[in-house]
Amino acid sequence: MTSGTELRRRGIARLAREGWTGGRSVWETDAEGREVAVDGVTVTEEPAPGDIARVLDLPAGAPVCVRSRRYLLDGGPVLLAVSRLPAELVRGTAVTRPDSGPGGIYARLAELGVEPTRFREEVRSRMPSREESERLALGAGTPVMLVRRTACTPEGRAVEVNDMDSAAYVLEYDFGA
């Protein structure tokens, strides 16, 4: 992977409240002024898989709003993302539209009174499915990094689970001792 296809993911800075409450996309922090586009956006309502239902504290099979999209950086695909939110919470709101508006779904959740204030991320690597390889234009044998982010309210309620797959991520952490 060349530096032109690398996507520096500053996990802490990208989720800063000031960005999304100011109308900025979480993803713009990673792009560093490069051309960002989103395509293939779909929004559906589906039964929650068991692991997602557990995290969102829903009964197995409860409906969730599923937002799927692909991110492009400088015209090339670099990330697939699927967010799942309790359908009962977001049904009929801007969260269910392909373009949720300035600041994205976190700004919309704040408007609904369930502003995410804590985030937890788990990072794993794995081999992509055939479909993922095609959608990300990956060569044979190229693994992806899976980042699963859970967004929670101040009370600890999980309001979103977001699975992000990328072969371009370079994880960067900058924090004091």
Side-chain angles (χ1 to χ4, degrees), residues 13-28:
R14 73 191 310 268
L15 295 170
R17 183 181 187 279
E18 298 80 38
W20 50 266
T21 57
R24 188 173 178 187
S25 139
V26 169
W27 215 71
E28 288 177 67

Side-chain angles (χ1 to χ4, degrees), residues 11 17 23 36 49-50 56 65 81 83 94 97 104 141 149 172:
R17 183 181 187 279
V36 176
L56 294 175
C65 171
S83 291
R97 296 184 202 131
R149 178 176 63 231
E172 181 176 305

Side-chain angles (χ1 to χ4, degrees), residues 139-164:
T142 303
V144 293
M145 192 174 307
L146 168 64
V147 178
R148 173 170 278 182
R149 178 176 63 231
T150 303
C152 299
T153 66
E155 300 78 29
R157 177 184 180 190
V159 292
E160 180 219 23
V161 176
N162 184 357
D163 287 330
M164 297 161 275

Side-chain angles (χ1 to χ4, degrees), residues 7 9-12 14-15 79 119-127 143-150 161-173:
L7 177 58
R9 186 173 195 286
R10 294 171 177 90
I12 297 167
R14 73 191 310 268
L15 295 170
L79 175 75
F119 299 92
R120 178 181 58 250
E121 293 189 337
E122 298 172 347
V123 181
R124 294 182 168 93
S125 62
R126 64 175 175 77
M127 295 308 292
V144 293
M145 192 174 307
L146 168 64
V147 178
R148 173 170 278 182
R149 178 176 63 231
T150 303
V161 176
N162 184 357
D163 287 330
M164 297 161 275
D165 293 310
S166 178
Y169 269 155
V170 173
L171 302 180
E172 181 176 305
Y173 301 95

